[in-house]
Amino acid sequence: GFVKSELNDFGYILTKEFTTPAQFVKNHPIGRFVCQINRHVFAVIDGKIHDKAIIQAKKRINYFVEIFV
């Protein structure tokens, strides 16, 4: 997918990646991420989606931020 990074007002790198959640997990098997799809955010931790809602496979991720601990 298309990837573009930009620094937001808080100093975090906000990355646009137009890909599906399944493809994102495949491309990012290690790390902690907060991903945003249409009016919803969810976490991806070490290749697993963590969310109480069901994430539809056809949705596209608009932005994500990697969290460094």
Side-chain angles (χ1 to χ4, degrees):
F2 170 75
V3 177
K4 178 185 176 189
S5 296
E6 49 192 58
L7 198 61
N8 70 9
D9 294 338
F10 301 103
Y12 295 103
I13 296 176
L14 191 62
T15 305
K16 278 190 157 193
E17 181 165 338
F18 300 107
T19 187
T20 64
Q23 190 64 41
F24 183 88
V25 167
K26 184 178 177 183
N27 292 342
H28 301 87
I30 298 174
R32 296 170 182 255
F33 304 89
V34 176
C35 300
Q36 188 266 332
I37 55 178
N38 296 337
R39 298 182 301 176
H40 186 73
V41 295
F42 61 93
V44 175
I45 301 173
D46 293 334
K48 294 183 183 175
I49 294 175
H50 295 267
D51 196 357
K52 292 194 179 225
I54 296 172
I55 304 297
Q56 296 177 3
K58 293 182 181 179
K59 293 283 185 176
R60 295 277 180 193
I61 292 174
N62 298 318
Y63 293 97
F64 75 87
V65 176
E66 185 168 10
I67 308 298
F68 297 97
V69 182

